[in-house]
PDB file of all heavy atoms in Angstrom:
ATOM      1  N   ALA A 210     -26.891  -9.002  -7.659  1.00  0.00           N
ATOM      2  CA  ALA A 210     -26.599  -8.286  -6.426  1.00  0.00           C
ATOM      3  C   ALA A 210     -27.201  -8.917  -5.229  1.00  0.00           C
ATOM      4  O   ALA A 210     -27.528  -8.297  -4.311  1.00  0.00           O
ATOM      5  CB  ALA A 210     -26.990  -6.699  -6.495  1.00  0.00           C
ATOM      6  N   GLU A 211     -27.125 -10.276  -5.202  1.00  0.00           N
ATOM      7  CA  GLU A 211     -27.559 -10.999  -4.072  1.00  0.00           C
ATOM      8  C   GLU A 211     -26.909 -12.363  -4.070  1.00  0.00           C
ATOM      9  O   GLU A 211     -26.332 -12.778  -5.124  1.00  0.00           O
ATOM     10  CB  GLU A 211     -29.162 -11.145  -3.990  1.00  0.00           C
ATOM     11  CG  GLU A 211     -29.708 -11.667  -5.315  1.00  0.00           C
ATOM     12  CD  GLU A 211     -31.319 -11.708  -5.082  1.00  0.00           C
ATOM     13  OE1 GLU A 211     -31.840 -11.535  -4.004  1.00  0.00           O
ATOM     14  OE2 GLU A 211     -31.868 -12.054  -6.129  1.00  0.00           O
ATOM     15  N   ASN A 212     -27.015 -13.065  -2.974  1.00  0.00           N
ATOM     16  CA  ASN A 212     -26.413 -14.300  -2.843  1.00  0.00           C
ATOM     17  C   ASN A 212     -27.427 -15.417  -2.799  1.00  0.00           C
ATOM     18  O   ASN A 212     -28.607 -15.205  -2.301  1.00  0.00           O
ATOM     19  CB  ASN A 212     -25.558 -14.345  -1.558  1.00  0.00           C
ATOM     20  CG  ASN A 212     -24.556 -13.324  -1.490  1.00  0.00           C
ATOM     21  OD1 ASN A 212     -23.879 -13.061  -2.454  1.00  0.00           O
ATOM     22  ND2 ASN A 212     -24.346 -12.697  -0.271  1.00  0.00           N
ATOM     23  N   PRO A 213     -27.115 -16.644  -3.290  1.00  0.00           N
ATOM     24  CA  PRO A 213     -28.153 -17.643  -3.295  1.00  0.00           C
ATOM     25  C   PRO A 213     -28.735 -18.200  -1.934  1.00  0.00           C
ATOM     26  O   PRO A 213     -27.877 -18.201  -1.049  1.00  0.00           O
ATOM     27  CB  PRO A 213     -27.525 -18.864  -4.071  1.00  0.00           C
ATOM     28  CG  PRO A 213     -25.969 -18.637  -3.897  1.00  0.00           C
ATOM     29  CD  PRO A 213     -25.925 -17.093  -3.816  1.00  0.00           C
ATOM     30  N   SER A 214     -29.935 -18.379  -1.771  1.00  0.00           N
ATOM     31  CA  SER A 214     -30.432 -18.867  -0.554  1.00  0.00           C
ATOM     32  C   SER A 214     -30.775 -20.292  -0.641  1.00  0.00           C
ATOM     33  O   SER A 214     -31.150 -21.032   0.438  1.00  0.00           O
ATOM     34  CB  SER A 214     -31.819 -18.093  -0.253  1.00  0.00           C
ATOM     35  OG  SER A 214     -32.659 -18.209  -1.365  1.00  0.00           O
ATOM     36  N   GLU A 215     -30.781 -20.977  -1.794  1.00  0.00           N
ATOM     37  CA  GLU A 215     -31.017 -22.391  -1.982  1.00  0.00           C
ATOM     38  C   GLU A 215     -30.235 -22.888  -3.100  1.00  0.00           C
ATOM     39  O   GLU A 215     -30.035 -22.251  -4.115  1.00  0.00           O
ATOM     40  CB  GLU A 215     -32.513 -22.694  -2.232  1.00  0.00           C
ATOM     41  CG  GLU A 215     -32.809 -24.133  -2.399  1.00  0.00           C
ATOM     42  CD  GLU A 215     -34.371 -24.338  -2.617  1.00  0.00           C
ATOM     43  OE1 GLU A 215     -35.210 -23.410  -2.461  1.00  0.00           O
ATOM     44  OE2 GLU A 215     -34.713 -25.472  -3.009  1.00  0.00           O
ATOM     45  N   ILE A 216     -29.624 -24.038  -2.845  1.00  0.00           N
ATOM     46  CA  ILE A 216     -28.701 -24.609  -3.882  1.00  0.00           C
ATOM     47  C   ILE A 216     -28.976 -26.101  -4.048  1.00  0.00           C
ATOM     48  O   ILE A 216     -29.169 -26.915  -3.167  1.00  0.00           O
ATOM     49  CB  ILE A 216     -27.253 -24.559  -3.339  1.00  0.00           C
ATOM     50  CG1 ILE A 216     -26.820 -23.060  -3.190  1.00  0.00           C
ATOM     51  CG2 ILE A 216     -26.207 -25.176  -4.370  1.00  0.00           C
ATOM     52  CD1 ILE A 216     -25.558 -22.822  -2.409  1.00  0.00           C
ATOM     53  N   GLN A 217     -29.125 -26.543  -5.334  1.00  0.00           N
ATOM     54  CA  GLN A 217     -29.314 -27.919  -5.749  1.00  0.00           C
ATOM     55  C   GLN A 217     -28.181 -28.254  -6.736  1.00  0.00           C
ATOM     56  O   GLN A 217     -28.124 -27.636  -7.797  1.00  0.00           O
ATOM     57  CB  GLN A 217     -30.693 -28.076  -6.361  1.00  0.00           C
ATOM     58  CG  GLN A 217     -31.903 -27.783  -5.385  1.00  0.00           C
ATOM     59  CD  GLN A 217     -33.230 -27.894  -6.036  1.00  0.00           C
ATOM     60  OE1 GLN A 217     -33.428 -27.271  -7.123  1.00  0.00           O
ATOM     61  NE2 GLN A 217     -34.204 -28.513  -5.444  1.00  0.00           N
ATOM     62  N   ALA A 218     -27.551 -29.426  -6.609  1.00  0.00           N
ATOM     63  CA  ALA A 218     -26.431 -29.693  -7.441  1.00  0.00           C
ATOM     64  C   ALA A 218     -26.324 -31.140  -7.603  1.00  0.00           C
ATOM     65  O   ALA A 218     -26.728 -32.072  -6.630  1.00  0.00           O
ATOM     66  CB  ALA A 218     -25.136 -29.197  -6.887  1.00  0.00           C
ATOM     67  N   THR A 219     -25.935 -31.569  -8.805  1.00  0.00           N
ATOM     68  CA  THR A 219     -25.663 -32.980  -9.061  1.00  0.00           C
ATOM     69  C   THR A 219     -24.434 -33.006  -9.936  1.00  0.00           C
ATOM     70  O   THR A 219     -24.089 -32.029 -10.639  1.00  0.00           O
ATOM     71  CB  THR A 219     -26.910 -33.679  -9.732  1.00  0.00           C
ATOM     72  OG1 THR A 219     -26.580 -35.065  -9.886  1.00  0.00           O
ATOM     73  CG2 THR A 219     -27.105 -32.992 -11.152  1.00  0.00           C
ATOM     74  N   ALA A 220     -23.749 -34.181  -9.915  1.00  0.00           N
ATOM     75  CA  ALA A 220     -22.497 -34.196 -10.723  1.00  0.00           C
ATOM     76  C   ALA A 220     -21.980 -35.676 -11.041  1.00  0.00           C
ATOM     77  O   ALA A 220     -22.550 -36.659 -10.350  1.00  0.00           O
ATOM     78  CB  ALA A 220     -21.302 -33.619  -9.878  1.00  0.00           C
ATOM     79  N   LYS A 221     -21.309 -35.793 -12.029  1.00  0.00           N
ATOM     80  CA  LYS A 221     -20.603 -37.115 -12.364  1.00  0.00           C
ATOM     81  C   LYS A 221     -19.228 -36.971 -11.884  1.00  0.00           C
ATOM     82  O   LYS A 221     -18.402 -36.095 -12.355  1.00  0.00           O
ATOM     83  CB  LYS A 221     -20.590 -37.322 -13.863  1.00  0.00           C
ATOM     84  CG  LYS A 221     -19.885 -38.565 -14.295  1.00  0.00           C
ATOM     85  CD  LYS A 221     -19.829 -38.700 -15.853  1.00  0.00           C
ATOM     86  CE  LYS A 221     -19.036 -39.882 -16.241  1.00  0.00           C
ATOM     87  NZ  LYS A 221     -19.022 -40.055 -17.678  1.00  0.00           N
ATOM     88  N   ILE A 222     -18.856 -37.693 -10.896  1.00  0.00           N
ATOM     89  CA  ILE A 222     -17.408 -37.693 -10.187  1.00  0.00           C
ATOM     90  C   ILE A 222     -16.810 -38.867 -10.915  1.00  0.00           C
ATOM     91  O   ILE A 222     -17.139 -40.039 -10.878  1.00  0.00           O
ATOM     92  CB  ILE A 222     -17.571 -37.894  -8.798  1.00  0.00           C
ATOM     93  CG1 ILE A 222     -18.373 -36.845  -8.116  1.00  0.00           C
ATOM     94  CG2 ILE A 222     -16.095 -37.913  -8.218  1.00  0.00           C
ATOM     95  CD1 ILE A 222     -17.886 -35.433  -8.350  1.00  0.00           C
TER      96      ILE A 222
END
Side-chain angles (χ1 to χ4, degrees):
E211 55 181 350
N212 303 321
S214 54
E215 183 180 344
I216 298 169
Q217 298 172 313
T219 186
K221 176 184 177 181
I222 306 296

